[in-house]
Amino acid sequence: MIKKANTDYPIHELIENRWSPYKFLPDRLVPKEDLFSLLEAARWAPSSYNEQPWRFIIAPREQTEEFEKLLSCLVKANQEWAKNASVLMLGITHLTFDRNGKENKAAMHDLGASVSHLSFEATTRGISVHQMIGIDPQKAREGYAIPENFEALIAIAIGYPDSNETANDTLAIRDRTPRVRKTISEVVFFKEWGSAFI
Ligand SMILES: Cc1cc2nc3c(=O)[nH]c(=O)nc-3n(C[C@H](O)[C@H](O)[C@H](O)COP(=O)(O)O)c2cc1C
């Protein structure tokens, strides 16, 4: 199943087709070579001062113990569905610059850009990505010995979406709900705050 964006203006199908499923096929694992390409795409994201503040901890499903450990860093509501992902990742960012130890104000922004790259690479391969802010950062810090000036911000579930269109459980219904967005006029302003550009 692909939940296409209902766009007002034409966009690349990659952006149109990316969506965040709740139902993953637990038995369909993402092949290693695809996974490596997703990580490569994440690596090539732009970043402020080319600092590349993103770090990831990865747990493929077949590494059962590691998968369970990473799953336990998610809030319960996210564990419910993310347990079926093929791969789980934690997205961590470096809050200070390597070169001078000063605050990197773009640290979170750049982690987001990196995950976007990973997501679009996944879309080209029919693989889905669902990001989660609902994690327990302290548990992640303790479990993985994450240093003080790094912050675990998000988790990422990666896998193949379950396209069973007859399922009627809450998650399946959520997956069939159309994707919605604010209009461009609500978010892009011209001349003054709140004044629509288009
Ligand atoms: C940074 C970030 C954090 C998110 N956190 C959660 C989360 O904790 N749990 C969840 O179910 N979905 C989470 N989502 C998924 C969003 O709800 C989803 O991207 C949004 O509803 C738009 O849907 P779409 O990605 O299918 O277009 C998160 C997405 C992002 C980008």
Side-chain angles (χ1 to χ4, degrees):
M1 182 168 77
I2 293 176
K3 273 211 306 193
K4 266 193 184 305
N6 181 15
T7 62
D8 293 337
Y9 300 92
I11 56 175
H12 196 282
E13 61 177 4
L14 252 185
I15 305 171
E16 218 168 42
N17 292 343
R18 185 217 56 81
W19 66 290
S20 308
Y22 281 96
K23 294 200 75 169
F24 286 99
L25 292 170
D27 298 329
R28 190 160 170 216
L29 297 180
V30 172
K32 280 282 170 301
E33 53 278 17
D34 285 317
L35 185 56
F36 295 164
S37 292
L38 266 56
L39 302 178
E40 184 70 15
R43 175 179 169 232
W44 284 99
S47 63
S48 175
Y49 291 97
N50 200 21
E51 176 74 14
Q52 305 156 63
W54 48 77
R55 300 289 186 277
F56 298 100
I57 292 171
I58 192 161
R61 182 177 197 78
E62 57 273 34
Q63 310 286 318
T64 318
E65 213 172 299
E66 290 307 320
F67 188 86
E68 290 301 325
K69 177 177 172 184
L70 209 149
L71 188 67
S72 77
C73 293
L74 314 189
V75 299
K76 284 273 175 298
N78 283 332
Q79 286 184 23
E80 296 291 324
W81 55 268
K83 66 183 180 203
N84 290 325
S86 170
V87 178
L88 287 175
M89 287 172 68
L90 273 179
I92 298 147
T93 198
H94 191 188
L95 301 170
T96 52
F97 284 106
D98 283 333
R99 71 175 74 82
N100 58 16
K102 288 193 176 152
E103 180 191 6
N104 180 1
K105 289 189 182 159
M108 292 186 183
H109 176 90
D110 291 347
L111 171 65
S114 177
V115 176
S116 273
H117 270 53
L118 181 151
S119 300
F120 290 120
E121 185 62 41
T123 308
T124 67
R125 296 161 188 269
I127 296 167
S128 293
V129 172
H130 194 143
Q131 301 175 52
M132 292 160 263
I133 196 74
I135 65 166
D136 181 339
Q138 199 48 38
K139 188 163 187 182
R141 187 178 296 286
E142 286 161 16
Y144 294 102
I146 298 170
E148 269 311 311
N149 51 345
F150 287 78
E151 184 174 331
L153 189 70
I154 49 145
I156 311 164
I158 303 173
Y160 294 94
D162 181 347
S163 301
N164 177 356
E165 298 195 359
T166 57
N168 259 327
D169 53 282
T170 318
L171 295 178
I173 292 167
R174 220 189 275 178
D175 273 353
R176 286 202 293 272
T177 309
R179 297 168 57 213
V180 289
R181 288 299 187 271
K182 294 184 171 83
T183 59
I184 295 178
S185 61
E186 287 175 283
V187 298
V188 182
F189 305 143
F190 181 59
K191 286 193 177 173
E192 63 179 20
W193 186 262
S195 164
F197 178 61
I198 50 175

